[in-house]
Amino acid sequence: NVKYGLYDFSKNDFDQVNNFGEIYNYINNKCDSKFDTIMMLNTIHNAFPNYKALQNNINKFSNKTSNIIIRYLDRDLFNIAFSENNIDLNSYGFIKRLSNNKININFNWCHDRGNIEYIVSKNDLLDLFSKFEIIYEEDKIIKNNIPNIEKYFNCFKTIIFN
């Protein structure tokens, strides 16, 4: 029996309809369900730096045996891979470092302007998921002799909390 929903974990219940519009009403969003697995693939940065709503929603939708699967741009790997502030992504776009934890990213195949994004660190995740334990963490090695676009994608890693 598979249950699914359309839910932005960075927003509270009230803001869900405003966030998704009319499509939200066509999905069976059961706000009282607990899920065995919650996946956040390349999206957790949207909840930072003020992650209180995300933390509340994780607690709301998870149980003691839930797995939280997160794929994220790791700040530590990014800082190892790139020391410069303006990063050319080999004709795919650019990244401009705004601070230690924020970038302005523009992929020319999907953005018409840059997007300012928070870069999440493992310590951010440990703070957020302090009641959970890590059951898997992808090991990554940054190679410097590859194109910047590949280096960028190699800075993403997966971590699983339980």
Side-chain angles (χ1 to χ4, degrees), residues 40-57:
M40 290 176 266
L41 305 178
N42 304 340
T43 59
I44 196 163
H45 63 277
N46 293 313
F48 280 87
N50 303 314
Y51 56 77
K52 200 64 171 159
L54 174 64
Q55 196 169 43
N56 291 338
N57 287 322

Side-chain angles (χ1 to χ4, degrees), residues 123-138:
N123 285 336
D124 290 329
L125 297 178
L126 290 174
D127 287 344
L128 173 60
F129 295 103
S130 61
K131 296 178 182 174
F132 295 80
E133 71 175 88
I134 296 174
I135 60 171
Y136 172 79
E137 181 178 2
E138 184 178 13

